[in-house]
Amino acid sequence: MDVKGALGATRGPGGRGEKLRAQRGHGGVMKILVVSSLYPNAVQRRHGIFIEHRVGHVAGPGDEVRVVAPIPWFPSRHPRFGRYADFASAPKMAVRRGVPITHPRYPVIPKIGMASAPWLMAAALYPGSRGFGARSIST
């Protein structure tokens, strides 16, 4: 997906995205897979906004960007459950500023299951990131 200008980022000469494209070759086009539990969604519009801005600074014209942002699974949207009900209201897929976002769900037991949460989150991420063909580029 071409994100030129869609993310509203300013790209000056010598910026991080430009350096990454120069390292990558192939005409400077990159496949960018962002995996973060901090990324804005329809319910939490400012949650992890800095990650969205960072993507905007790295992504360039013609780059293919995909975001996988896991959200805790909760069975009810009833307001009495507070922020857990908000998790249930978030869409499973969305497009924000021209970037496709997938929100896989992972089970969490509040106050009890935090030791297993990283493993459950990793299991939820696998289907959303499979087949993208991205490789890691360290900066």
Side-chain angles (χ1 to χ4, degrees):
M1 170 161 293
D2 186 357
V3 294
K4 179 180 179 184
L7 293 170
T10 58
R11 294 180 194 91
R16 174 172 281 186
E18 187 175 309
K19 290 176 186 175
L20 289 174
R21 275 183 286 288
Q23 290 175 1
R24 175 75 164 56
H26 305 304
V29 176
M30 294 189 296
K31 285 187 170 187
I32 302 170
L33 175 62
V34 179
V35 179
S36 177
S37 61
L38 295 172
Y39 204 84
N41 59 57
V43 177
Q44 299 171 308
R45 296 186 187 283
R46 296 177 59 184
H47 184 71
I49 196 99
F50 60 95
I51 302 291
E52 183 178 48
H53 290 189
R54 194 168 264 198
V55 170
H57 286 285
V58 173
D63 290 346
E64 183 181 343
V65 181
R66 182 189 308 175
V67 174
V68 180
I71 296 176
W73 174 81
F74 196 74
S76 175
R77 295 180 185 186
H78 195 279
R80 76 172 173 227
F81 293 112
R83 89 181 174 116
Y84 287 102
D86 291 344
F87 293 138
S89 299
K92 292 184 180 184
M93 299 182 85
V95 175
R96 186 173 160 101
R97 297 185 177 188
V99 176
I101 306 163
T102 306
H103 295 291
R105 302 304 204 264
Y106 64 98
V108 171
I109 302 169
K111 298 183 182 182
I112 298 172
M114 293 313 292
S116 61
W119 299 103
L120 295 168
M121 184 186 294
L125 291 174
Y126 181 72
S129 59
R130 195 174 65 186
F132 189 62
R135 68 177 188 190
S136 175
I137 300 175
S138 82
T139 57

